[in-house]
């Protein structure tokens, strides 16, 4: 296992639409292991493959609290099959260091994906886990949390990001 470098905004690779995984091989499992290691090393609660420059539909999430046992969840070729309600959560993103903003998301989602063995599973999530799943799925489609801000907030954010990009 190895930690990988997390790409930062405005890296154009964060804007690509990631491709489906054709088969869950040992190579994909090695990618997943590196992603988990990178997420834990970065103290994030999720990480999507495009954030380490791999344009595949894979993400990992661990929303366990600091004093709880780890709860690593792996999603390959994920799809949200049902979503309900709305919630606001203050989100951060490892690719947007220093940015923390309230974003509107679905309150509950039902997601279908493949696990580390390539077996299909479905999961119903709410709270932070539902938020993280939606945040990571956006990364697979080249969407960043700043795209979800109101025009007013985005204008303020654009100035801040322009002044720190490349720093
Ligand atoms: O570490 C992260 N924290 C977080 C907090 C609220 C909502 C979403 C997230 S995901 C983020 C890690 C990250 O950038 N994943 O893509
Ligand atoms: Ni992110």
């Amino acid at each position: 296992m190895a930690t990988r470098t997390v790409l930062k905004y405005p890296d154009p690779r964060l804007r690509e639409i990631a491709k489906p995984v054709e088969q869950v091989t040992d190579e994909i499992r090695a990618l997943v292991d590196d992603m988990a290691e990178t997420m834990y090393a970065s103290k994030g609660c999720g990480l999507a493959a495009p954030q380490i420059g791999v344009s595949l539909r894979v993400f990992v999430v661990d929303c366990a609290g600091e004093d709880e046992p780890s709860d690593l969840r792996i999603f390959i070729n994920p799809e949200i099959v049902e979503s309900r309600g709305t919630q606001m959560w203050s989100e951060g993103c490892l690719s947007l260091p220093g940015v923390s903003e309230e974003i509107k998301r679905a309150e509950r989602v039902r997601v279908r994906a493949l696990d580390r063995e390539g077996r299909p599973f479905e999961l119903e999530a709410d709270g932070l886990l539902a938020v993280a799943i939606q945040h990571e799925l956006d990364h697979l489609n080249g969407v960043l949390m700043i795209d979800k801000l109101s025009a007013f907030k985005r204008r303020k954010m654009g100035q801040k990001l322009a002044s720190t990009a490349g720093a």
Side-chain angles (χ1 to χ4, degrees), residues 42-48 51 89-96 128 131-132 135-136 139:
S42 314
K43 310 241 182 277
C45 69
L47 188 76
Q51 291 181 280
W89 207 287
S90 178
E91 299 191 18
C93 181
L94 295 171
S95 297
L96 292 159
L128 177 58
V131 170
H135 177 117
E136 302 313 334
H139 276 301

